[in-house]
Amino acid sequence: MSRSSKESDSIYRIPPYYYIHVLDQNSNVTKVETGPKTFIRQDNEKVILGPEKMITVPPRHYCIVENPCLRDKDGKLVLDDYGQIKLRHADQDIRLAQDPFPLYPGEVLKQGVTALRVVVANSALRLRAVLDFEDASGEKRVAGDEWLFEGPGTLIPRKEVEIIETVRATVIQPNQAIRLRARRETRDRDGHMRVTGEEWLVKKVGAYLPGAYEEVVTVEDAFVLTEKKALHLRATGTYKDVNGVTRKNGEEWLVTMSDTEAHIPDVYEEVQGVIEITTLNNRQYCVIMDPVGSDGKPQLGQKKLVKGEKSFFLLPGESLEQGIIQDVFVLGEDEGLILKANESFDDISEDGKKVLRNPGDRWMIRGPREYIPPVEVDVTDRRKAMPLDENEGIYVRDIKTGKVRAVCGQTYMLTHDEELWMKELPPAVELLLAGGKDPLADRGYRNIAPPPREGERDKTRVITYRVPHNAAVQIYDYTEKKARVIFGPELVMLGPDEQFTQLSISGGKPKKPNVIKALCLLLGPDFCTDIITVETADHARLSLQLSYNWHFDASDKSAKEAAKLFSVPDFVGDACKAIASRIRGAVAGVQFDDFHKNSARIIRSSVFGLDENKKIRNKFTFPANKLNITSVDIQSVEPVDQRTRDALQKSVQLAIEITTNSQEAAARHEAERLEQEAKGRLERQKISDEAEAERARKELLELQAQSAAVESTGQAKAEAQSRAEAARIQGEAAVQQAKLKAEATKIEAESDRERMTKDREAELAYTAEENALEISRAKEMAAIETEKFSNMVNAIGAETIQAIATAGPDMQVKLLQSLGLKSTLITDGSTPVNLFSTAQGLIGAMGTSQ
């Protein structure tokens, strides 16, 4: 290391307001050297810190120093026996604005320079004491105490105090209050003692700053009450409200506009809800359940009738019956009410007499009138007169006797002892009635599914059924045990104890029982089709499809004769079985060939039988139900046995083949005859065509010779003309080409000349413009320079310029005159002197002087 580097390590130049820490390695004592100063370090000394800038605390700032040095009463540092500065270990020192100071060995800057905390108005700092101390006002603070430092002001920090939080004032608007809670026993701003957990309201309008042991629970808004709204409150503890009324825990009451326009719930009040006003017009009423009596307590189990016009609030505990406002019963002339008494009371009848009603009594009032039922009466039903046509009716049941009757063709209103009775029918009958028409009304007894209807049948209405034309319906009365038959067209109206006789008829091919369900019986004429299997004497089994025409003999419509029509439930099945039995017996005695040839006669004779004259009868009658079969139609006959069917098919094919062969031979003979005639006509036509072809060939040769002569002549002429025309065209083309070439050359030369002319003109115009611009610029610059010089001369002045020009020589002349010299020449030796001009000047001057 050089000498200069060692010297720089030993010499420390400390600027003003800087300091260093120097450790004496012999005594291990650290001292502080402050500037301005030049410190020369000894060999036994060592600089361990610095130079460092002193700590400067400006006004309204502070800093915190940990382990501060100990000072005596005069403010001087206290040293121990070894010369080391004593420290207050684990202590802090808050230093405010003062002169710059250094940190002594052991001191630590815990918090840098920080601005003092300014507390604005309507806010405060919550402080807590961490050590026991006595403040400037003489009040003793114990560790753990809390208090507020309210603004506006500047907080001077202390080591014994810590800041918990910033508390801001809560602004209380009109119709507002704040709910406060005491965190511990304290005295509020009004001087009242508050215990821990107690809550209270502050309603004074303005800014409120809660105390150290107060906390804001919430801001309570006032409920603005109107004529149509009331506030339902409930007490959560026993207390006195703002009106001085003692409220017990759990008590409920209403606050209306008559009490106050705006209400802020107290801490012991719980808002149950806002009650809307109940308004009744002159056509309404209501029943209040558990009404509040004059003592302010609810009368449980009682009812109160309120009629309109009226407006009121439902008090706590009260409720409307059924929860609604009910309309007054307005009854017309065709309306009535069924009433029932719940308890004994005195009623006024319609004729104005006093009537005692016992519990359970039922009675009816009729219109026209208005009626409001008392609380002792329940309206069980509202009746309306039902206008009934001659073909309409209802089933009415007496609830006392149980008797059911049908009322038809009048306007009827049920009394208080009557009710509508529902007549039930079997499901199959319901299905047939719901279809809108009876399946038997369709010709052929087809089983038709009834179309769906929009709604179910009104079972209280009298059941009606329209009997179709030429049909009959049987109705059975179970009370009188009698049946009646009604022939159509007619409308049937069932009594309470009457039922339809349901028919279950065979259907399909072959017939199957219980296929068709029907209520009415068609009397015909109609037909039915059946398939039966028969066997001939030679054991050929055949399947016959037969169609029978039938009708019922309904000429006598007396009750006894009409009942015969329904004596056989399945007349179709019985008739088909009887006819099939007769046919099978007749076919069994004949051969297949005979039956095949005489099937119609055999079947008709077996069904209808023969009279005394051996003629087939016209009809077959069933006396039990007066059914007549008038004709039998054989629709098809098919063998059942496969071998018989094959043999029959083979014979039929053989007969068809024989007929086909005979027709084919006749057709072939006729074709051969026609072919010979055609050949003769063809030969004659061929000869005539050949003769005509020869004549045409002759004419063709003549025309070919003429055309050859014309062709040779025309070809030569055409060739000469074409050569001449080609030469002429070629000459004209050469002339035209020369003209066009000359014209093109001319156009090209003119265009070149015009282009060069345009170029020269453009170049001349550009040069002229450029010269003009240059001249204009030169003129303007000369004018500017002239004007500038003139302005400079005018600004300086002619006399000033003259004085400047002659200033040097005049001064020199005056200086030489003061020295007493008439002429002299002074040079520095490096600048040459022009003696020629000097001599000329001298000569000129001499000549002038002479």
Side-chain angles (χ1 to χ4, degrees), residues 68-80:
C69 58
L70 183 63
R71 297 179 182 270
D72 56 10
K73 296 180 180 179
D74 297 331
K76 296 181 179 180
L77 296 174
V78 178
L79 304 178
D80 58 7

Side-chain angles (χ1 to χ4, degrees), residues 590-653:
V590 298
Q591 299 291 329
F592 172 74
D593 192 20
D594 293 342
F595 177 74
H596 187 67
K597 295 178 180 179
N598 304 311
S599 58
R601 183 181 60 79
I602 294 172
I603 291 175
R604 287 178 57 84
S605 62
S606 63
V607 173
F608 298 110
L610 302 175
D611 57 6
E612 297 81 2
N613 299 325
K614 303 296 181 179
K615 291 184 177 181
I616 300 174
R617 292 189 178 93
N618 295 327
K619 62 181 179 178
F620 173 39
T621 303
F622 293 88
N625 58 350
K626 304 171 67 174
L627 176 64
N628 296 325
I629 307 297
T630 57
S631 66
V632 179
D633 180 21
I634 305 171
Q635 295 181 344
S636 67
V637 178
E638 294 182 359
V640 176
D641 189 9
Q642 185 64 33
R643 290 180 299 175
T644 307
R645 186 180 300 174
D646 294 343
L648 181 61
Q649 186 176 2
K650 186 175 181 181
S651 63
V652 171
Q653 289 178 353

Side-chain angles (χ1 to χ4, degrees), residues 775-790:
I775 294 170
S776 176
R777 177 175 175 277
K779 288 181 178 180
E780 291 178 358
M781 290 299 294
I784 291 171
E785 289 295 332
T786 304
E787 185 178 358
K788 176 182 177 183
F789 185 76
S790 176

Side-chain angles (χ1 to χ4, degrees), residues 21 75 85 182 196 223 235 372 486 592 622 642 646 772:
H21 286 182
I85 300 173
T196 304
F223 288 88
I372 298 177
I486 299 174
F592 172 74
F622 293 88
Q642 185 64 33
D646 294 343

Side-chain angles (χ1 to χ4, degrees), residues 337-541:
L337 290 178
I338 305 300
L339 307 178
K340 181 180 179 181
N342 293 326
E343 54 183 285
S344 299
F345 75 101
D346 293 329
D347 190 16
I348 304 299
S349 62
E350 296 181 359
D351 54 0
K353 296 181 180 180
K354 188 175 182 181
V355 180
L356 176 63
R357 303 291 186 185
N358 295 319
D361 285 352
R362 289 169 57 95
W363 71 98
M364 183 177 183
I365 60 172
R366 298 176 181 269
R369 62 176 295 179
E370 294 180 359
Y371 182 73
I372 298 177
V375 294
E376 300 86 2
V377 175
D378 284 343
V379 178
T380 59
D381 196 6
R382 183 168 184 164
R383 299 286 171 82
K384 185 177 179 64
M386 293 173 284
L388 301 175
D389 189 58
E390 293 180 357
N391 297 330
E392 293 180 334
I394 56 174
Y395 297 112
V396 179
R397 179 176 178 269
D398 193 323
I399 60 176
K400 291 185 176 180
T401 63
K403 185 178 180 180
V404 181
R405 60 191 179 94
V407 178
C408 303
Q410 60 176 321
T411 300
Y412 187 77
M413 182 189 296
L414 297 176
T415 65
H416 59 279
D417 292 329
E418 293 178 343
E419 65 178 2
L420 292 175
W421 181 72
M422 299 174 64
K423 182 175 177 62
E424 299 290 342
L425 294 176
V429 177
E430 289 277 6
L431 188 63
L432 292 174
L433 289 176
K437 68 175 184 177
D438 194 273
L440 285 179
D442 183 57
R443 306 294 293 178
Y445 289 93
R446 289 183 296 172
N447 189 12
I448 300 175
R453 301 181 67 178
E454 294 182 357
E456 295 184 358
R457 175 181 66 87
D458 187 359
K459 296 181 179 181
T460 61
R461 290 279 179 169
V462 171
I463 299 172
T464 59
Y465 182 75
R466 300 184 184 277
V467 183
H469 177 71
N470 199 22
V473 173
Q474 187 181 40
I475 298 173
Y476 187 79
D477 191 338
Y478 287 93
T479 57
E480 297 181 2
K481 300 186 183 306
K482 292 182 180 180
R484 57 190 178 102
V485 178
I486 299 174
F487 293 91
E490 185 63 52
L491 180 68
V492 178
M493 302 182 68
L494 289 186
D497 299 315
E498 291 182 337
Q499 293 287 348
F500 288 104
T501 298
Q502 182 181 351
L503 300 177
S504 182
I505 305 171
S506 299
K509 295 183 291 184
K511 295 301 180 188
K512 296 179 181 179
N514 302 324
V515 173
I516 299 176
K517 307 291 183 181
L519 297 180
C520 67
L521 177 67
L522 286 181
L523 301 180
D526 206 339
F527 69 92
C528 63
T529 304
D530 192 13
I531 298 176
I532 62 175
T533 303
V534 298
E535 187 175 356
T536 60
D538 52 358
H539 303 292
R541 299 186 65 193

Side-chain angles (χ1 to χ4, degrees), residues 648-711:
L648 181 61
Q649 186 176 2
K650 186 175 181 181
S651 63
V652 171
Q653 289 178 353
L654 185 59
I656 292 172
E657 186 177 356
I658 293 171
T659 305
T660 303
N661 291 335
S662 63
Q663 292 177 355
E664 185 178 350
R668 187 169 54 253
H669 182 271
E670 182 66 19
E672 290 177 355
R673 184 182 63 81
L674 294 175
E675 184 180 2
Q676 291 297 328
E677 292 180 357
K679 284 182 179 180
R681 288 195 299 271
L682 180 60
E683 289 294 335
R684 287 198 303 270
Q685 184 66 30
K686 187 175 181 182
I687 293 170
S688 61
D689 289 344
E690 289 179 355
E692 186 67 26
E694 289 297 330
R695 287 194 297 269
R697 187 178 293 110
K698 177 184 177 182
E699 293 178 358
L700 177 60
L701 293 174
E702 293 178 354
L703 291 175
Q704 285 179 351
Q706 292 178 2
S707 76
V710 172
E711 183 179 358

Side-chain angles (χ1 to χ4, degrees), residues 166-307:
T166 301
V167 181
R168 300 189 182 277
T170 302
V171 179
I172 303 175
Q173 303 289 342
N175 293 330
Q176 275 188 344
I178 58 173
R179 176 179 288 190
L180 301 175
R181 182 188 294 126
R183 295 192 296 115
R184 55 172 286 184
E185 292 184 3
T186 184
R187 187 179 299 274
D188 61 9
R189 295 187 181 275
D190 296 332
H192 300 96
M193 286 299 300
R194 303 294 181 181
V195 298
T196 304
E198 182 180 356
E199 296 184 359
W200 68 98
L201 294 181
V202 176
K203 301 179 181 179
K204 184 178 179 180
V205 178
Y208 181 82
L209 189 65
Y213 297 108
E214 297 174 1
E215 62 178 354
V216 178
V217 179
T218 182
V219 177
E220 299 284 351
D221 292 326
F223 288 88
V224 179
L225 304 177
T226 62
E227 296 179 352
K228 297 182 180 180
K229 291 184 179 180
L231 195 61
H232 182 191
L233 301 178
R234 179 176 177 271
T236 58
T238 302
Y239 78 106
K240 285 187 179 181
D241 60 9
V242 294
N243 298 322
V245 180
T246 301
R247 302 292 184 181
K248 295 183 178 180
N249 189 6
E251 183 179 353
E252 298 182 6
W253 70 98
L254 290 184
V255 178
T256 61
M257 188 176 179
S258 60
D259 300 326
T260 179
E261 294 182 356
H263 181 74
I264 300 176
D266 198 79
V267 293
Y268 296 106
E269 294 176 355
E270 182 180 359
V271 178
Q272 301 294 316
V274 177
I275 305 299
E276 298 288 341
I277 195 170
T278 302
T279 303
L280 304 177
N281 58 27
N282 58 355
R283 317 300 299 167
Q284 291 177 333
Y285 74 97
C286 67
V287 177
I288 300 176
M289 309 293 291
D290 304 330
V292 176
S294 58
D295 56 352
K297 298 181 179 180
Q299 302 173 0
L300 301 178
Q302 296 188 13
K303 296 181 180 180
K304 179 181 178 182
L305 178 65
V306 180
K307 302 178 182 179

